[in-house]
Amino acid sequence: QVQLVETGGGSVESGATLNLSCAASGPTNTMAWWRQVPGKGRVGVAVVDRFGGTEYADSMKGRLSLSLDTTTNTAHLQIYRLTSEDTAKYICAAGWGVAKWGLTSPTNYEFWGKGTQVVVSL
């Protein structure tokens, strides 16, 4: 069982850059970020794999950067130019697939963190 621990988040000003990290207790093929707001399902944000692949949510392309440090099994996500619509719980996920499988199905990820809350203030 791989444990995932998210860091970063909290209250961030609109227009700023958000930095989130997810540390895994062991190696996996993919590491991804999802987000969720109350009353709605999880939405994929970005995924990276250890083979050099990345995929980003279409709605957020141009504002995302996700990298994977394979020496520490840590994924680093940056979201630029935050707006109030980015307010959500951000949840790290990891699995044995590849990035090109995309962000449409949470079932592609076997391991999940507890999430970290992000609030974007005006």
Side-chain angles (χ1 to χ4, degrees), residues 10-31:
S11 182
V12 190
E13 289 188 355
S14 179
T17 297
L18 175 67
N19 292 286
L20 297 175
S21 294
C22 176
S25 60
T28 57
N29 284 352
T30 60
M31 293 188 74

Side-chain angles (χ1 to χ4, degrees), residues 5-9 19-23 31 33 74-77 92 116:
V5 178
E6 301 103 333
T7 55
N19 292 286
L20 297 175
S21 294
C22 176
M31 293 188 74
W33 284 94
T74 302
H76 301 282
L77 176 69
C92 181
T116 182

